[in-house]
Amino acid sequence: MHPSGADTVLVRHGDVGVKSRKVQTEMERRLRDNMAAILEDRGIDAEVERRWSRLLVHTDEESVEDATTAAADTFGVQSASPAVVVSPEQELIEETLADTAREQYDEGTFAVRARRSSKDHPFTSAELERGGGTAVWEAVENPVVDLDDPDITFSVEVRETEAFVFIEKRDGPGGLPLGTQTKLVSLVSGGIDSPVSTWEVMKRGSPVIPVYLELGDYGGPDHEARAIETVRKLKKYAPNHDMRVRKVPAGEAMNRLADEVGPARMLSFRRFMYRVAEHIAREESAHGIVTGEAIGQKSSQTARNLGVVSAATTMPIHRPLLTMDKSDIVARARKIDTFDDSTIPAGCNRIAPDYPETNATLEIAQNADPDGIFELAKEAAENVEIVEL
């Protein structure tokens, strides 16, 4: 929803603004570049300008809604508003508010919010809110004011040489611009959790190297396709970053685990998986491993078991979903559009034992590992296949 004639998106960032001036400038430049890449990837004709502590997306009214959506999909963005730009004169601003109300306000309650970047204007924010409220009131039928919880808010942001009038703040992901932190390897399975955990670290600025373990008889083409599609959905948030999937042949290891390991099988599998990720991380100059694990979600993910499996690598393991409930993870998966792909029946064979170990010690896990399983992990990582998206 936007005012008539809106051709600009006013973009706000969050955590970027608390950095030092030098770091903030660097992050804003990265944010601008990432946003421009998303706009270009989606075929939206627009230009991104970095100004003050805001970014502006210049486009046309026909594209302003799509441009706002693209801006709000950019990591580091707090919110984005499609706006009409006018001269910073009170009378003109009030006329614009009245026009916007006639177009967009049918019923319910309203409020006017205004803020100025300086005190050089011949009006205060409070005066602009009162005058703007009066303009809206006189422009529509049956207006109702609610300054606490209005149904529609008419907003004005006044700068030195221009004013922005808007009626929507579309929430962005927040976080930090992608590429402002170091790379991480993310283990993706095609289930609900791993795409969400991947998105979460991308939100904090870390580019990811997706790694998928091809499980042989315990996986299958549907299982693989599901994983690839979830990464493809994540790629739309990072079109200017390398998100090709590294597919690792793990069928031989799965067969050995199924044949040789009993209750601790899933622990051995995770330890193998971490070693694979560690080798790829070192090869790709990444600095950590990302998983979709959460405390207690599965038998292999009890608090004690997580400590045991983590001992398989010296590489930091990041678990963004560690304390999240499954319902919250599902909600996030729906929001980032990976849920449907993650829940397509894959027809894969489960490798989990009937009575899994839930309270392992490091000694139990180490004794359960098949001989040479870590050497097999290294060999598998060296035979990685790059899957283009």
Side-chain angles (χ1 to χ4, degrees):
M1 190 164 60
H2 62 267
S4 178
D7 60 2
T8 300
V9 183
L10 184 63
V11 183
R12 309 165 191 85
H13 52 62
D15 280 9
V16 172
V18 303
K19 305 296 182 182
S20 68
R21 174 55 58 184
K22 179 181 178 182
V23 173
Q24 181 176 339
T25 298
E26 293 173 353
M27 286 191 171
E28 286 177 348
R29 287 172 179 163
R30 181 69 66 122
L31 181 60
R32 176 197 61 196
D33 294 345
N34 290 345
M35 193 177 300
I38 292 178
L39 289 162
E40 181 180 3
D41 184 65
R42 300 182 186 183
I44 301 170
D45 186 12
E47 179 182 347
V48 184
E49 179 187 6
R50 175 180 154 267
R51 204 192 302 179
W52 346 291
S53 59
R54 296 280 190 269
L55 269 68
L56 300 177
V57 180
H58 302 291
T59 183
D60 53 48
E61 186 172 6
E62 183 178 348
S63 301
V64 74
E65 288 291 334
D66 289 340
T68 304
T69 299
D73 280 345
T74 308
F75 296 114
V77 169
Q78 195 72 26
S79 64
S81 299
V84 61
V85 184
V86 298
S87 178
E89 302 167 25
Q90 184 170 1
E91 183 177 353
L92 184 55
I93 293 171
E94 291 175 1
E95 289 176 3
T96 304
L97 287 168
D99 291 342
T100 301
R102 280 188 283 267
E103 295 165 358
Q104 300 290 355
Y105 180 31
D106 294 325
E107 58 183 2
T109 60
F110 82 93
V112 174
R113 303 278 190 249
R115 56 175 295 180
R116 301 174 303 158
S117 62
S118 74
K119 298 181 179 179
D120 294 335
H121 301 288
F123 53 82
T124 66
S125 297
E127 289 170 343
L128 187 55
E129 289 179 346
R130 286 194 296 270
T134 299
V136 171
W137 181 277
E138 295 176 348
V140 300
E141 296 181 5
N142 304 316
V144 180
V145 174
D146 185 346
L147 300 182
D148 296 320
D149 187 25
D151 295 312
I152 183 170
T153 301
F154 298 89
S155 299
V156 184
E157 185 165 315
V158 183
R159 293 285 172 172
E160 287 79 4
T161 60
E162 56 202 345
F164 301 85
V165 177
F166 55 93
I167 50 179
E168 178 187 8
K169 280 188 177 181
R170 198 169 303 176
D171 289 340
L176 298 172
L178 190 62
T180 57
Q181 303 297 310
T182 55
K183 289 189 295 184
L184 300 172
V185 162
S186 185
L187 290 161
V188 294
S189 65
I192 294 172
D193 302 330
S194 59
V196 175
S197 64
T198 302
W199 187 90
E200 289 289 344
V201 295
M202 292 170 70
K203 170 186 167 182
R204 294 308 303 174
S206 287
V208 295
I209 301 162
V211 173
Y212 168 74
L213 272 64
E214 194 281 305
L215 305 180
D217 294 337
Y218 294 90
D222 291 339
H223 187 266
E224 178 180 332
R226 197 169 68 169
I228 301 300
E229 285 306 310
T230 60
V231 176
R232 199 187 310 276
K233 290 291 178 63
L234 295 174
K235 173 69 173 174
K236 72 178 184 179
Y237 298 97
N240 54 333
H241 291 266
D242 179 11
M243 288 192 66
R244 295 173 299 167
V245 178
R246 277 61 169 177
K247 184 172 76 169
V248 177
E252 181 181 348
M254 300 306 293
N255 290 334
R256 288 198 58 191
L257 291 171
D259 293 341
E260 301 177 27
V261 185
R265 187 182 305 152
M266 292 307 298
L267 305 185
S268 290
F269 169 61
R270 290 185 182 281
R271 287 163 60 81
F272 166 82
M273 184 169 61
Y274 295 157
R275 278 300 184 94
V276 168
E278 177 184 303
H279 287 296
I280 294 176
R282 298 196 188 287
E283 185 68 24
E284 297 277 358
S285 299
H287 294 84
I289 300 167
V290 182
T291 80
E293 295 160 317
I295 292 177
Q297 187 177 125
K298 296 180 180 179
S299 59
S300 60
Q301 297 177 29
T302 62
R304 185 159 186 173
N305 281 353
L306 289 176
V308 167
V309 296
S310 297
T313 176
T314 58
M315 187 76 65
I317 299 176
H318 302 284
R319 298 180 172 100
L321 314 185
L322 190 67
T323 62
M324 290 179 65
D325 291 341
K326 190 67 175 186
S327 59
D328 295 328
I329 298 171
V330 168
R332 179 55 57 87
R334 291 185 186 278
K335 184 175 181 179
I336 65 176
D337 197 27
T338 59
F339 179 80
D340 289 342
D341 291 318
S342 294
T343 53
I344 294 172
C348 57
N349 298 315
R350 288 184 56 81
I351 193 174
D354 292 333
Y355 302 100
E357 176 65 65
T358 61
N359 196 33
T361 63
L362 182 57
E363 182 180 10
I364 288 173
Q366 290 174 333
N367 289 338
D369 290 342
D371 291 340
I373 193 68
F374 288 165
E375 287 75 15
L376 193 57
K378 181 175 183 295
E379 180 182 340
E382 290 173 346
N383 286 281
V384 65
E385 176 187 343
I386 305 296
V387 180
E388 300 285 350
L389 298 177

